[in-house]
Amino acid sequence: KMAVTASMVKELREMTGAGMMDCKKALSATDGDFDKAIEFLREKGLATAEKKAGRIAAEGLVATTIKDGDKVAAIVEVNAETDFVAKNEVFRTFVKEVVEQAADTDAADIDAFKAEKWALDTSMTVDEKLAAMIAKIGENMNIRRFAKVSEENGIVVSYIHAGGKIGVLVNLAVEGVDASEIGKNVAMQIAALNPRFWDKSQVTDEVLAEEKKIALALMDTDPKMASKPEAVKEKIVMGKMNKFYEENCLLQMEFVRGDIFQGSVEKYIADAAKKLGGSVKFVDAVRFQTGEGIEKKQEDFAAEVAAQMNMGK
């Protein structure tokens, strides 16, 4: 029997827009055959038409650093125009320097960060250093964002996925155990599955109302359902909300590494901590993915030529 990995689940999710657990089930049932898994989801009416693959725009790197005995961490995203430059050693070194500076900064936002002195050469600001790097590398670059995390009562764990495309910091409150392995597993789950919320308590009333509205509307399109009494519909909708939490909230999600624990992420953390003889609580996390939300201009050369030809008519 083939082992279903988190990346397979993520890929099928992007191809079909179906929920995480449904994708996992489909892959298990079809022995990891993507075409059959898609078929499986379609037959069950679980694959949505639109592909959820948000094509990530700008290139670049996410980097993390951890210091002060795992109590303080920083994460940065630095963008460049091409993947070629993102893999360049000079660029990578610069990003490392930026994240080290972010770990020591008191800046509240990116503008304040760019205005401060560059730690490795105080004759210039961070922004001026960036300008010098742009001149050196010959490609437009940007220090897009940073986050600094400190955890007095525990540790911060970092994880870099896909060579710097995604970075995650997880802070855990810890008593009496080394929780780095737990943190790493949770960070990997966040990297792979990008939950909308950390915990169901963070889901706003607006989001819930919207989900309920969709669930009820779907029921009304089904003749068998539409005729059912409101109370019954309400009950079914509540069941759907639990499913919503399981698909969108980290702690309520099924822990992806089923080889080490079966159950929710929340239960995994508690169970792993208990086995180690202490306690571990998830506090917060940060996830950066390069280029998310930046629209990349797709140059369509053929269309451009055609447009110019038509102009001349």
Side-chain angles (χ1 to χ4, degrees), residues 111-245:
D111 293 332
F113 179 69
K114 285 179 177 175
E116 72 184 27
K117 294 275 176 230
W118 178 243
L120 297 169
D121 176 359
T122 53
S123 71
M124 56 171 106
T125 62
V126 172
D127 218 6
E128 284 162 353
K129 173 66 182 176
L130 175 65
M133 291 303 293
I134 292 170
K136 183 174 180 176
I137 288 179
E139 206 172 278
N140 191 23
M141 285 155 45
N142 184 30
I143 300 171
R144 186 182 180 203
R145 52 183 172 162
F146 75 95
K148 190 174 168 179
V149 173
S150 50
E151 182 50 64
E152 294 305 308
N153 310 310
I155 58 166
V156 189
V157 179
S158 87
Y159 175 68
I160 291 285
H161 185 68
K165 289 289 174 212
I166 297 169
V168 178
L169 293 177
V170 174
N171 47 324
L172 302 170
V174 179
E175 274 172 45
V177 291
D178 172 4
S180 51
E181 185 65 24
I182 297 172
K184 195 70 91 188
N185 282 327
V186 173
M188 282 166 75
Q189 177 128 0
I190 293 170
L193 295 166
N194 194 13
R196 271 174 74 182
F197 307 96
W198 302 137
D199 181 59
K200 64 181 183 189
S201 61
Q202 295 173 322
V203 180
T204 60
D205 292 343
E206 288 94 74
V207 171
L208 277 182
E210 181 63 22
E211 287 299 317
K212 282 181 183 159
K213 205 172 86 192
I214 293 168
L216 281 168
L218 280 170
M219 264 186 237
D220 290 336
T221 61
D222 179 349
K224 283 207 294 287
M225 284 294 183
S227 56
K228 284 192 165 42
E230 285 308 311
V232 174
K233 285 188 195 170
E234 197 57 36
K235 215 174 183 147
I236 295 168
V237 168
M238 288 325 291
K240 283 201 170 23
M241 286 308 102
N242 282 333
K243 194 164 165 45
F244 175 80
Y245 293 140

Side-chain angles (χ1 to χ4, degrees), residues 3-312:
V4 175
T5 66
S7 63
M8 285 164 70
V9 172
K10 178 174 182 276
E11 196 175 330
L12 186 61
R13 235 184 124 180
E14 288 184 345
M15 288 161 80
T16 62
M20 178 180 100
M21 295 325 300
D22 293 323
C23 287
K24 199 172 166 187
K25 215 173 281 162
L27 285 163
S28 298
T30 58
D31 233 333
D33 180 324
F34 274 82
D35 293 338
K36 284 189 183 136
I38 292 168
E39 215 39 70
F40 177 94
L41 291 168
R42 290 240 162 86
E43 281 163 17
K44 299 215 171 348
L46 296 167
T48 50
E50 88 271 17
K51 290 189 178 181
K52 287 254 172 71
R55 296 275 35 104
I56 299 298
E59 300 300 338
L61 269 187
V62 174
T64 57
T65 189
I66 297 206
K67 44 179 280 192
D68 298 350
D70 297 348
K71 297 282 184 204
V72 176
I75 182 169
V76 298
E77 177 187 354
V78 183
N79 300 121
E81 286 178 56
T82 62
D83 193 39
F84 182 69
V85 159
K87 291 189 166 76
N88 167 324
E89 221 24 72
V90 178
F91 180 75
R92 293 185 96 89
T93 301
F94 173 61
V95 178
K96 276 198 194 82
E97 293 168 356
V98 173
V99 78
E100 292 306 329
Q101 177 139 351
D104 292 328
T105 192
D106 294 320
D109 59 36
I110 195 69
D111 293 332
F113 179 69
K114 285 179 177 175
E116 72 184 27
K117 294 275 176 230
W118 178 243
L120 297 169
D121 176 359
T122 53
S123 71
M124 56 171 106
T125 62
V126 172
D127 218 6
E128 284 162 353
K129 173 66 182 176
L130 175 65
M133 291 303 293
I134 292 170
K136 183 174 180 176
I137 288 179
E139 206 172 278
N140 191 23
M141 285 155 45
N142 184 30
I143 300 171
R144 186 182 180 203
R145 52 183 172 162
F146 75 95
K148 190 174 168 179
V149 173
S150 50
E151 182 50 64
E152 294 305 308
N153 310 310
I155 58 166
V156 189
V157 179
S158 87
Y159 175 68
I160 291 285
H161 185 68
K165 289 289 174 212
I166 297 169
V168 178
L169 293 177
V170 174
N171 47 324
L172 302 170
V174 179
E175 274 172 45
V177 291
D178 172 4
S180 51
E181 185 65 24
I182 297 172
K184 195 70 91 188
N185 282 327
V186 173
M188 282 166 75
Q189 177 128 0
I190 293 170
L193 295 166
N194 194 13
R196 271 174 74 182
F197 307 96
W198 302 137
D199 181 59
K200 64 181 183 189
S201 61
Q202 295 173 322
V203 180
T204 60
D205 292 343
E206 288 94 74
V207 171
L208 277 182
E210 181 63 22
E211 287 299 317
K212 282 181 183 159
K213 205 172 86 192
I214 293 168
L216 281 168
L218 280 170
M219 264 186 237
D220 290 336
T221 61
D222 179 349
K224 283 207 294 287
M225 284 294 183
S227 56
K228 284 192 165 42
E230 285 308 311
V232 174
K233 285 188 195 170
E234 197 57 36
K235 215 174 183 147
I236 295 168
V237 168
M238 288 325 291
K240 283 201 170 23
M241 286 308 102
N242 282 333
K243 194 164 165 45
F244 175 80
Y245 293 140
E246 284 164 19
E247 288 179 355
N248 294 278
C249 307
L250 171 75
L251 294 175
Q252 284 73 42
M253 271 182 179
E254 184 174 338
F255 181 56
V256 148
R257 288 201 55 194
D259 55 322
I260 50 181
F261 181 80
Q262 309 243 316
S264 68
V265 171
E266 194 167 31
K267 291 198 175 107
Y268 158 69
I269 296 170
D271 178 75
K274 202 169 129 199
K275 281 187 181 133
L276 291 169
S279 90
V280 178
K281 290 257 184 304
F282 174 89
V283 179
D284 202 3
V286 181
R287 181 189 190 274
F288 280 4
Q289 181 160 342
T290 49
E292 59 194 340
I294 304 175
E295 287 308 313
K296 186 160 46 171
K297 199 164 162 242
Q298 290 295 347
E299 298 292 351
D300 188 342
F301 189 63
E304 206 176 299
V305 173
Q308 287 189 356
M309 305 271 286
N310 288 334
M311 273 169 61

